[in-house]
Amino acid sequence: MQVKATVLQKDEVAPQVHKIRFFAPRIAKSAQPGQFVHIKCGEEQNYILRRPFSIHQANSSDSIEILFKVVGRGTSWLAKLKVKDSVDIIGPLGNGFSLKSRPGKIMLVAGGMGIAPLIFLADKLAKEHTKTYTVIGAANKELLLDYMNLKRLTRKITAATEDGSQGVKGLITDILPAAITEDHPDVIFACGPFSMLREVAFIARREDVDCQVALEELMACGVGACLACVVKTKTGFKRVCADGPVFDSREIEW
Amino acid sequence: MQVKATVLQKDEVAPQVHKIRFFAPRIAKSAQPGQFVHIKCGEEQNYILRRPFSIHQANSSDSIEILFKVVGRGTSWLAKLKVKDSVDIIGPLGNGFSLKSRPGKIMLVAGGMGIAPLIFLADKLAKEHTKTYTVIGAANKELLLDYMNLKRLTRKITAATEDGSQGVKGLITDILPAAITEDHPDVIFACGPFSMLREVAFIARREDVDCQVALEELMACGVGACLACVVKTKTGFKRVCADGPVFDSREIEW
Amino acid sequence: MSRPDLAVEIAGIKLKNPVITASGTFGYGREYAEFIDLNRLGALVTKTITFQPRSGNPVPRICETPSGMLNSIGLQNNGAEAFAANDLPWLAQFDLPVIVSIGGDDIDQYCRVTKFISQVEGVSALEVNISCPNVKFGGLGFGRDPRMAADLVAKIRTCSTLPLIVKLSPNVGDIVAIAQAVVRAGAQAISLINTVLGMAVDIESKRPRLKSVVGGLSGPAIKPIALRMVWEVAKAIDVPVIGIGGIASAADALEFILAGAGAVAVGTAVFMDPQSPIKIIEGIEEYLTKNGYDKISDIVGALEIAE
Amino acid sequence: MSRPDLAVEIAGIKLKNPVITASGTFGYGREYAEFIDLNRLGALVTKTITFQPRSGNPVPRICETPSGMLNSIGLQNNGAEAFAANDLPWLAQFDLPVIVSIGGDDIDQYCRVTKFISQVEGVSALEVNISCPNVKFGGLGFGRDPRMAADLVAKIRTCSTLPLIVKLSPNVGDIVAIAQAVVRAGAQAISLINTVLGMAVDIESKRPRLKSVVGGLSGPAIKPIALRMVWEVAKAIDVPVIGIGGIASAADALEFILAGAGAVAVGTAVFMDPQSPIKIIEGIEEYLTKNGYDKISDIVGALEIAE
Ligand SMILES: Cc1cc2nc3c(=O)[nH]c(=O)nc-3n(C[C@H](O)[C@H](O)[C@H](O)COP(=O)(O)OP(=O)(O)OC[C@H]3O[C@@H](n4cnc5c(N)ncnc54)[C@H](O)[C@@H]3O)c2cc1C
Ligand SMILES: Cc1cc2nc3c(=O)[nH]c(=O)nc-3n(C[C@H](O)[C@H](O)[C@H](O)COP(=O)(O)OP(=O)(O)OC[C@H]3O[C@@H](n4cnc5c(N)ncnc54)[C@H](O)[C@@H]3O)c2cc1C
Ligand SMILES: Cc1cc2nc3c(=O)[nH]c(=O)nc-3n(C[C@H](O)[C@H](O)[C@H](O)COP(=O)(O)O)c2cc1C
Ligand SMILES: Cc1cc2nc3c(=O)[nH]c(=O)nc-3n(C[C@H](O)[C@H](O)[C@H](O)COP(=O)(O)O)c2cc1C
Ligand code: FES
Ligand code: FES
C-alpha cells in the first residue's frame, strides 16, 4: 500500500546512522520481518527513484521504524527530516524471512547495516520464545548498532569489529564458524553486504545449516514490475523486490 | 559579486507576497535603486536558472530586501525560507534608474509588483529631498503594497484598483494622464507588467515627459554573457540584465 | 456543466481516456493493481514480449541520473506462450484495452511473436518495439533506418489483422522520415519516444554504472526531446501519435496533447508515484473543465504558433 | 607529495588544466571576470562568431526544464570585426588560450570568418560550430550529414593554419560516423556535444515556451547522452575529445575524462554558479591527489569495462 506517513521520532543513533519512526498503522499491521518499504525522497521530482529500506521495527501497533546510514543523496535527505514531516511510503514489500518450519535454534548474522531487518525478526522470535543467537560485525564498536536491544532479545551475542574496539578483531565471517560449532543453530538468517553473505552462505553450506539471506539490489519500481533488481539464481533471474529480498542461500548463484 | 546571504527577516506582507531581508553588506553598500539580485533557489541542482528580483531596499548599511509574489517553483521555494537560512545571491546587477539630470519633480508609477524597486528609489529621493509623486495600481486594496511606506516617502499617492476597493476603480493607466496634468513631473520612473509599461511610455510621450521603465525578461546568466534576456530597442537587441533593466522608454521598440 | 469527454480512438481502438501505461515500467499490470484501479486507465501496454523467453542483461541494470534514469533491462520476459497462459487471462478481468508490445532480433522473430499473439484472446492492439536500445542485434538497427523499419512493419502487417502501433527510437537524426516510412508500411499509430541512449560512470570504481555500459535514458530529463519529436511527427503524419517521455503530471501530458499527441503513455513516473496515471487522468479532466472544453479532441494539436 | 599535473594538450595547444568554458554561456569572458580569475581556466571558447553581425532570435529565448534548460539565442553576435576590435584585445591581458567559435550559414561564410579570425592576434584555436540548432539554414545541415560536415571542415582547413576543433551536434543517428568524417577532413580535436533539440509548451497560453518553438536542451539532463557519445567517439578516433554536456561538478567532469575526454567544457553550470569552473578544477586536482595519480593523462579513458 501507499501511505503518507508522519515522522514521529528521529534520532542519530551513531555517526551518520539514523533511526526514524513513522506513523503508518496500515503498514505496521501487516509487516513481517525481512520485508521492506520504498520511500519517496525529496520534494517534487528531484529523485526519480524511491529508496528501499528494511522494516527495522513494527511491533508497536501504529508505527514502523527504519534504520539507515547516510551514503548518498536520498539518505542525506531522509537524515534531514524532522518530527511531523510527512513522507510518501510504499510497503510492506517483498517476502520476509520464512519461519514455516518452526526451527528450534536460530542464528542471526548481521554485518554492518545488515542489523536493520534482524532486530524486527529478533523481537518477533523473542516474543515466540524461540532461542536466538546473534553474530554481529561492524567497522568499530560505535557501529555495532542496536547492541543493547540485541542483548535483551537474544541469548548470546558474538561480535567482531574490524578495528578490534569490541569483540574479536576481524570480520564477521572469521567468527561465524566457531559460533556455529558452539551454538548449533538449525537455521541462519543473515543480512549484510553481498560479499559477506556469499561467505556466510558458503560457511552455512559447509556446516550444513539452513541459511536465508536478505539481499540488496538497485530498485526502480520495488513491486516486481520493472525487472531492474534481479539476482541470478539456480532457476534464472529472480526479482529481489518481489521474489525476495530474502532468499534461501542455496538458491543464489553466488 | 557572489555572496552567501543569511535570511534576517521574512514576512508575508500580503497574500502570497513575501518580503525577505538578507544580511549582505557588500551588496547593500553598492546597490542602486533599479538594480537587481540573481538568487539561486533550491538545493543541489534542482533549479538550473537563478531567479532575478529587484532590490527592494538597501538603505540600512548591512542588508538588502526583496519583495516578491509567489508565482512558480522558485518563488515557492523562497517563500519557505526561514530566518538563518543561507542563500547564494549574485548582485547588485544591471543599471538602476538614472538620476543624472537632477530632475525637480519625479513621478513613480508602480503597477502590482512593480512597486518592488520603486520603494528603494523613493527612499533615496526622500533623503535627497526630491519631490516625488506616486501613482500605483493593483488588483485590489490588499495588493497595494507598501502603501504606508509610500505615504511616508512621497508627497502624494494616487491609486487605482481593478476591483475599486481603494482609489479609482480601474487601471493605473486610466489615472496616470490626470496625475501628470496635475503634478507636472519632469520624469516618470515606472515599473510593472510589460503591457502597462508600454501604455505608460505612450502616455509619457504624448504628455512630453521623460520616462524610464524597469523591464523584466527571462534570464539565464543575469550578467550579460548569454544574450537570453534581450529587448528590442531602436538600436537593436539590448540585454535587459546588463544594459537595463532600466531603459529610457523612448529607446524601446514597444 | 457535464464532464468533458476524455475518450479517444487510437489505431481503431477506443480508449476511455488518453492515458496509457508505457511498456516495461508497468509489467503486465499485476503488480500495480494493488495501487490503482486498472479499470480507470485508457490502456495498458505490456512489457515487450518476444517469442522465446529471454533472460535479459546482467545487473546493475539501472541508475539514477539528473531528473531521469538509465535502464538496460534487456527485454527480459518469459516468452509469448507463458504470457498468453499466465498474464493475458488475468488482464481479461478488467475493462482495459491491452496493447501487447512485441520485440525480436530479426524479422522472422517479430513475425512469429506477431502470429502467436494474434491468435490468442484479449489483445486489443500490437505495439511493435523497433527501438529498444538494449538488444545487441536487430532492435536498434530497425529503429534507425527508415527502409529497414518499413520492411519490418510491412512484414508484420501481413502476419496480423490486429491494430498496429509502431514505437520509434529517438536515437536518429530524422525522426520524421522514420515515422513516415512506417506509416506508409501500415502503422496505424506511432508511439514515441522510447529511451535515449545514455551512460553514467562511477568515478570511484572507474566503472560504468550499468553493467551493459550503455542504457536508455527516461524520465523528466527527456521530456523536451520527446515533445519536440512528437510535435515534428504529428505535423507530418495522418495517424495518431502516442506521446511518451518524462510525463509525470497532467501538465506534462497536456503539453504533449497540445503538441499533437492523440494519447500519452506514462513510464518512469509510476516509479516515483504509482498513482501518477490516475492523477494525470484527473488533471486532464480538470484542465478541460476549467478551460471550457467539451472533449479532449478539442485540444489535440491545438498549440498556437505566433506568426 | 607534489601536486598532480593537470596540463593537457588539445589540438596542439597547451592548457594548464582540462577545464574550458563552453561557447555561448560565457560570452567573451568579460562579464565573468568579476566572479572568477580567468587566468585559472584551461581555455575559453567564445560565443560563436559569424562574419557579419547577427541579431539572433526573438524572445522568449530560454526556458527552464527538468534539470536543464532550452535556448534559442540564435547566434546573436556583433560580427567578426567588432569581436576582433573590442573583445580579443581585452582577452589578451589574461594568460588564457582563446578558442574562437565560428559559425555561418554556408561554406563561404565559414571561410570568410575563418580567414578573418586567422589574421588577427590572440587566437589559440578555432572551434567550428557545425551544430547550432538555431540557425535555419546551414548550421544544422552540416552537423547531420558526415559528407557535408567533412566538406565544410576540409574547406575551412585550407583557409587557416590555426588548430582546428570541430563541435558536433548530438541530433544524429550515428555520432561516430560524423566524428570520423571530420577527423579525416582535418579536425584536430572534437567537441561534443552541442545542445539536443527540444521543446516546451505553456499549457495556459497554449503556446511554445520559446518563440522559435524548438531550441537546444542543455544542462545536467543531457549529461548521460553526452557521456555516451563521448565514450563512443573517443574509442573510435585518434584526436582528443572535449567533453561537453551537463557538467556541473568535478565528479561530472571526471566521468567524461574517464570515458575518454581529453578536456571538458562547462556551459549551463556557470548560470547556476559562476564559480563552477574553478570548483571543477579544484575537484579534479583533489581526486587525482586522493587516488594517487601524478597527472591527469593517467585517467583519460581509464574506464574499466568488466569482461
Ligand atoms: C531491500 C533493501 C533493504 C535495504 N535496507 C536498508 C536499511 O535498512 N538500512 C540502510 O541503511 N540501507 C538499506 N538498504 C540500502 C539503501 O536502499 C541504500 O543505502 C539507499 O538507497 C541509498 O540511497 P542514497 O540516495 O542515499 O544513495 P545514492 O548512492 O545517492 O543512491 C543512488 C541510487 O542507488 C541506489 N542505491 C544505493 N545503494 C544501494 C543499496 N545498497 N541497495 C539498493 N539500492 C542502492 C539508491 O536507491 C538510488 O537509486 C536497503 C536496500 C534494499 C534493496
Ligand atoms: C530584473 C527583474 C527584476 C524582478 N523583480 C521582481 C521583484 O522585485 N518581485 C517579484 O515578485 N518579481 C520580480 N521579477 C520577476 C521574478 O523574477 C519572477 O517572478 C520569478 O523569476 C518567478 O520564478 P518562479 O520560479 O517562481 O516562476 P516560474 O514560472 O516557475 O519560473 C520559470 C522560469 O521563468 C522565469 N520567470 C518567470 N516569470 C518571470 C518574470 N516575470 N521575469 C523574469 N523571469 C521570469 C523564472 O526566473 C524561471 O527561470 C523580476 C524579474 C526581473 C527580470
Ligand atoms: C525500466 C524500463 C523498462 C522499459 N522497457 C521497455 C520495453 O520493454 N519496451 C519498450 O518499448 N519500452 C520500454 N521502456 C521505455 C518506456 O516504455 C518509455 O518509452 C520510456 O521510458 C520513456 O518514457 P518515460 O520517460 O515516461 O519513462 C522501458 C523503460 C524503462 C524505464
Ligand atoms: C544560452 C546558450 C548559448 C549557447 N550558445 C552556443 C554557441 O553560440 N555556440 C556553440 O557552439 N554552442 C553554444 N551553446 C552550447 C554549449 O556550448 C554547450 O555545448 C551545451 O550547452 C551543452 O553543455 P552544457 O550542458 O554544459 O551547457 C550554447 C548553450 C547555451 C545554454
Ligand atoms: S525493482 Fe522493479 S522488479 Fe524489482
Ligand atoms: S541573462 Fe544572460 S545576457 Fe541577460
Side-chain angles (χ1 to χ4, degrees):
Chain A
M1 58 202 96
Q2 185 177 7
V3 302
K4 281 270 173 198
T6 306
V7 175
L8 295 174
Q9 196 177 335
K10 208 199 124 261
D11 301 296
E12 183 157 2
V13 298
Q16 296 285 66
V17 179
H18 298 255
K19 192 182 280 194
I20 303 185
R21 194 152 58 86
F22 295 101
F23 181 74
R26 286 164 61 216
I27 295 178
K29 265 173 206 110
S30 61
Q32 295 300 322
Q35 287 189 303
F36 68 99
V37 288
H38 214 28
I39 303 188
K40 185 173 184 314
C41 298
E43 277 96 37
E44 298 185 41
Q45 305 167 7
N46 310 338
Y47 299 77
I48 295 304
L49 302 178
R50 288 169 178 259
R51 274 33 177 183
F53 297 94
S54 306
I55 298 173
H56 178 56
Q57 199 41 291
N59 54 351
S60 74
S61 65
D62 281 349
S63 66
I64 56 165
E65 282 177 14
I66 61 170
L67 176 77
F68 64 95
K69 189 153 92 189
V70 174
V71 297
R73 297 174 66 212
T75 46
S76 300
W77 182 84
L78 285 170
K80 284 192 214 111
L81 283 177
K82 294 191 185 65
V83 169
K84 287 195 187 146
D85 284 348
S86 171
V87 178
D88 178 342
I89 300 184
I90 292 178
L93 297 173
N95 298 311
F97 293 99
S98 165
L99 294 162
K100 278 183 213 128
S101 49
R102 286 243 142 262
K105 283 167 146 196
I106 289 181
M107 182 165 282
L108 307 180
V109 179
M113 293 308 302
I115 191 66
L118 296 179
I119 289 291
F120 185 14
L121 179 62
D123 192 54
K124 186 169 172 169
L125 293 171
K127 283 185 185 131
E128 295 170 357
H129 308 292
T130 308
K131 292 181 197 146
T132 59
Y133 303 83
T134 309
V135 183
I136 51 173
N140 57 49
K141 185 179 167 169
E142 256 185 322
L143 293 172
L144 284 177
L145 303 164
D146 278 301
Y147 200 82
M148 288 304 148
N149 262 336
L150 281 173
K151 262 199 144 150
R152 194 170 48 79
L153 296 171
T154 72
R155 305 215 155 196
K156 186 167 138 196
I157 312 182
T158 321
T161 54
E162 285 168 44
D163 68 354
S165 52
Q166 180 160 344
V168 174
K169 180 173 164 139
L171 297 176
I172 194 167
T173 43
D174 297 336
I175 59 172
L176 182 60
I180 293 175
T181 312
E182 205 161 302
D183 301 324
H184 297 294
D186 298 304
V187 58
I188 291 173
F189 293 135
C191 186
F194 190 81
S195 55
M196 169 201 128
L197 293 179
R198 184 174 44 207
E199 190 76 4
V200 170
F202 180 77
I203 294 169
R205 188 158 57 172
R206 203 181 54 203
E207 310 285 337
D208 199 23
V209 187
D210 279 354
C211 176
Q212 294 178 25
V213 293
L215 298 182
E216 294 184 359
E217 185 47 68
L218 299 181
M219 292 182 175
C221 71
V223 299
C226 75
L227 308 181
C229 67
V230 296
V231 59
K232 222 174 203 150
T233 72
K234 300 272 188 291
T235 54
F237 280 130
K238 287 204 172 171
R239 301 162 302 177
V240 172
C241 69
D243 302 316
V246 179
F247 291 90
D248 187 313
S249 71
R250 284 162 306 193
E251 226 193 310
I252 306 300
E253 284 277 7
W254 299 100
Chain B
M1 57 202 96
Q2 186 177 5
V3 302
K4 280 269 171 198
T6 307
V7 175
L8 295 174
Q9 198 177 334
K10 210 200 123 258
D11 301 296
E12 182 157 1
V13 298
Q16 296 285 67
V17 179
H18 298 256
K19 191 181 283 194
I20 304 186
R21 193 151 59 85
F22 295 101
F23 181 74
R26 287 164 62 214
I27 295 178
K29 263 170 208 112
S30 62
Q32 295 299 323
Q35 288 188 303
F36 69 98
V37 288
H38 213 29
I39 304 189
K40 184 171 185 316
C41 298
E43 278 97 36
E44 300 184 41
Q45 305 167 7
N46 310 337
Y47 298 75
I48 296 304
L49 302 178
R50 286 169 180 262
R51 276 28 179 187
F53 296 95
S54 307
I55 298 173
H56 179 54
Q57 196 44 289
N59 53 354
S60 71
S61 63
D62 281 348
S63 67
I64 56 166
E65 282 177 15
I66 62 170
L67 177 78
F68 65 94
K69 190 155 93 187
V70 175
V71 299
R73 295 174 67 211
T75 46
S76 300
W77 183 84
L78 285 169
K80 283 192 214 114
L81 284 177
K82 295 192 184 66
V83 169
K84 288 194 187 148
D85 284 347
S86 171
V87 179
D88 178 343
I89 301 185
I90 293 179
L93 296 173
N95 298 310
F97 293 100
S98 165
L99 293 162
K100 277 180 215 131
S101 50
R102 287 243 139 262
K105 284 168 145 189
I106 289 181
M107 182 166 281
L108 307 180
V109 178
M113 292 309 301
I115 192 66
L118 296 178
I119 289 291
F120 186 13
L121 179 63
D123 191 55
K124 187 172 170 167
L125 293 171
K127 283 185 182 128
E128 295 170 356
H129 308 292
T130 309
K131 292 181 197 148
T132 58
Y133 303 83
T134 310
V135 183
I136 50 172
N140 58 50
K141 186 178 167 170
E142 258 184 320
L143 293 172
L144 285 177
L145 305 165
D146 278 300
Y147 199 82
M148 287 304 151
N149 262 335
L150 281 173
K151 261 200 143 148
R152 193 170 48 78
L153 297 171
T154 71
R155 305 215 155 194
K156 187 168 137 194
I157 312 183
T158 321
T161 53
E162 284 169 46
D163 68 353
S165 51
Q166 182 161 343
V168 173
K169 181 174 165 137
L171 298 177
I172 194 168
T173 44
D174 297 337
I175 59 173
L176 180 61
I180 294 175
T181 312
E182 206 161 301
D183 302 322
H184 297 294
D186 298 304
V187 57
I188 291 172
F189 292 135
C191 187
F194 190 82
S195 56
M196 169 202 127
L197 293 178
R198 183 174 47 207
E199 190 76 4
V200 169
F202 179 78
I203 293 168
R205 186 157 61 172
R206 202 181 55 203
E207 309 285 338
D208 199 22
V209 187
D210 280 353
C211 177
Q212 294 176 24
V213 292
L215 298 183
E216 293 182 0
E217 184 49 66
L218 299 182
M219 292 183 175
C221 71
V223 299
C226 76
L227 308 180
C229 67
V230 296
V231 58
K232 221 177 205 150
T233 72
K234 299 274 188 290
T235 54
F237 279 131
K238 288 204 170 170
R239 301 162 303 178
V240 171
C241 68
D243 303 316
V246 179
F247 291 90
D248 186 314
S249 72
R250 281 162 308 193
E251 228 193 306
I252 306 300
E253 284 277 7
W254 299 101
Chain C
M1 217 170 78
S2 65
R3 294 174 71 171
D5 180 5
L6 293 189
V8 298
E9 195 175 307
I10 302 286
I13 59 171
K14 291 197 161 47
L15 317 187
K16 57 177 97 66
N17 64 61
V19 180
I20 302 171
T21 51
S23 177
T25 51
F26 208 72
Y28 311 114
R30 211 186 284 260
E31 292 83 8
Y32 281 105
E34 186 200 331
F35 296 96
I36 61 175
D37 179 358
L38 300 188
N39 291 310
R40 293 192 61 188
L41 297 174
L44 175 152
V45 183
T46 67
K47 167 83 185 157
T48 298
I49 313 277
T50 50
F51 186 66
Q52 298 287 348
R54 284 194 190 223
S55 62
N57 292 327
V59 292
R61 287 180 171 186
I62 57 165
C63 135
E64 201 178 50
T65 68
S67 294
M69 65 175 284
L70 290 166
N71 90 80
S72 62
I73 308 297
L75 294 196
Q76 177 178 343
N77 78 101
N78 293 331
E81 213 163 319
F83 166 70
N86 307 327
D87 301 298
L88 272 177
W90 183 85
L91 279 166
Q93 68 185 291
F94 299 99
D95 170 26
L96 173 68
V98 174
I99 300 171
V100 176
S101 170
I102 55 165
D105 291 341
D106 53 38
I107 293 192
D108 185 53
Q109 286 183 16
Y110 273 102
C111 285
R112 285 168 75 182
V113 68
T114 301
K115 283 181 191 151
F116 183 88
I117 294 295
S118 299
Q119 43 91 27
V120 297
E121 291 278 297
V123 178
S124 296
L126 289 177
E127 180 176 89
V128 186
N129 176 6
I130 58 167
S131 44
C132 178
N134 299 314
V135 178
K136 290 224 172 55
F137 308 100
L140 192 58
F142 288 117
R144 278 199 174 163
D145 183 80
R147 226 193 27 221
M148 278 175 71
D151 284 353
L152 174 66
V153 171
K155 210 47 135 301
I156 291 173
R157 183 67 293 174
T158 66
C159 303
S160 175
T161 55
L162 282 171
L164 209 60
I165 304 165
V166 177
K167 183 166 180 183
L168 304 187
S169 164
N171 303 294
V172 300
D174 187 351
I175 192 74
V176 171
I178 308 258
Q180 287 172 327
V182 299
V183 169
R184 271 195 302 267
Q188 289 154 275
I190 296 292
S191 283
L192 71 159
I193 60 177
N194 210 313
T195 54
V196 183
L197 286 174
M199 176 175 166
V201 169
D202 178 348
I203 65 166
E204 298 309 332
S205 69
K206 300 210 282 302
R207 289 177 186 275
R209 287 197 181 270
L210 298 179
K211 185 77 167 194
S212 7
V213 188
V214 166
L217 183 64
S218 65
I222 66 168
K223 194 184 70 173
I225 303 172
L227 194 61
R228 186 260 303 179
M229 291 191 167
V230 165
W231 181 68
E232 285 180 352
V233 168
K235 281 189 304 179
I237 63 174
D238 288 329
V239 305
V241 172
I242 301 173
I244 317 175
I247 297 174
S249 69
D252 295 335
L254 288 160
E255 286 193 66
F256 280 85
I257 293 168
L258 288 166
V264 295
V266 182
T268 302
V270 294
F271 302 152
M272 283 190 274
D273 184 0
Q275 306 290 335
S276 53
I278 304 300
K279 289 181 182 165
I280 291 169
I281 295 166
E282 289 169 353
I284 292 173
E285 183 167 336
E286 228 170 77
Y287 176 89
L288 292 175
T289 306
K290 202 186 79 188
N291 291 286
Y293 295 107
D294 298 332
K295 49 188 194 308
I296 184 83
S297 55
D298 290 345
I299 62 165
V300 173
L303 190 70
E304 292 167 19
I305 312 268
E307 66 264 26
Chain D
M1 216 169 78
S2 67
R3 294 174 70 173
D5 180 6
L6 293 189
V8 298
E9 194 176 307
I10 301 285
I13 59 171
K14 291 195 160 47
L15 318 188
K16 57 176 96 69
N17 65 61
V19 180
I20 303 172
T21 51
S23 177
T25 50
F26 207 72
Y28 310 113
R30 211 185 283 259
E31 293 82 7
Y32 281 106
E34 186 200 332
F35 296 96
I36 61 174
D37 179 0
L38 299 189
N39 291 310
R40 294 192 62 189
L41 297 174
L44 175 152
V45 183
T46 67
K47 167 82 186 160
T48 298
I49 314 276
T50 50
F51 187 67
Q52 298 286 350
R54 283 193 191 225
S55 62
N57 291 329
V59 293
R61 286 179 170 186
I62 56 165
C63 134
E64 201 178 49
T65 68
S67 294
M69 64 176 283
L70 290 166
N71 90 80
S72 64
I73 309 296
L75 293 198
Q76 177 178 342
N77 79 101
N78 293 330
E81 214 164 320
F83 167 70
N86 306 328
D87 301 299
L88 271 178
W90 182 85
L91 279 166
Q93 69 185 291
F94 299 98
D95 170 26
L96 174 67
V98 174
I99 300 171
V100 178
S101 170
I102 55 166
D105 291 341
D106 52 39
I107 292 193
D108 185 53
Q109 287 184 14
Y110 273 102
C111 286
R112 285 168 76 181
V113 69
T114 300
K115 283 181 191 151
F116 183 88
I117 293 295
S118 299
Q119 44 89 27
V120 296
E121 291 277 298
V123 178
S124 296
L126 289 176
E127 180 174 271
V128 186
N129 175 5
I130 59 167
S131 44
C132 178
N134 298 315
V135 178
K136 291 228 171 53
F137 308 100
L140 192 57
F142 288 116
R144 276 198 177 165
D145 183 79
R147 232 202 14 229
M148 280 176 71
D151 284 353
L152 174 67
V153 172
K155 212 43 138 298
I156 292 172
R157 182 68 295 175
T158 67
C159 303
S160 174
T161 56
L162 282 170
L164 209 60
I165 303 165
V166 178
K167 182 166 180 183
L168 305 187
S169 164
N171 303 295
V172 300
D174 187 352
I175 193 75
V176 171
I178 308 259
Q180 288 172 327
V182 299
V183 169
R184 272 195 301 268
Q188 290 155 275
I190 296 294
S191 284
L192 70 159
I193 60 173
N194 210 312
T195 54
V196 183
L197 286 174
M199 177 175 166
V201 169
D202 178 349
I203 65 165
E204 298 309 332
S205 69
K206 299 209 288 295
R207 290 176 187 275
R209 288 199 181 268
L210 298 178
K211 185 77 168 196
S212 3
V213 187
V214 165
L217 183 64
S218 65
I222 66 168
K223 195 185 68 173
I225 304 172
L227 194 61
R228 186 261 301 178
M229 291 192 167
V230 165
W231 181 68
E232 286 179 351
V233 168
K235 282 189 304 178
I237 63 174
D238 288 328
V239 304
V241 172
I242 302 173
I244 317 174
I247 297 175
S249 69
D252 296 335
L254 288 159
E255 286 193 67
F256 280 85
I257 292 168
L258 288 167
V264 294
V266 182
T268 301
V270 296
F271 301 152
M272 282 190 273
D273 184 1
Q275 307 289 337
S276 53
I278 305 299
K279 289 181 182 165
I280 291 169
I281 296 166
E282 290 170 353
I284 292 174
E285 185 168 335
E286 228 169 79
Y287 176 89
L288 292 176
T289 306
K290 204 187 76 188
N291 291 287
Y293 294 108
D294 299 331
K295 48 189 197 306
I296 183 86
S297 54
D298 290 346
I299 62 164
V300 173
L303 190 71
E304 292 166 19
I305 312 268
E307 68 263 25

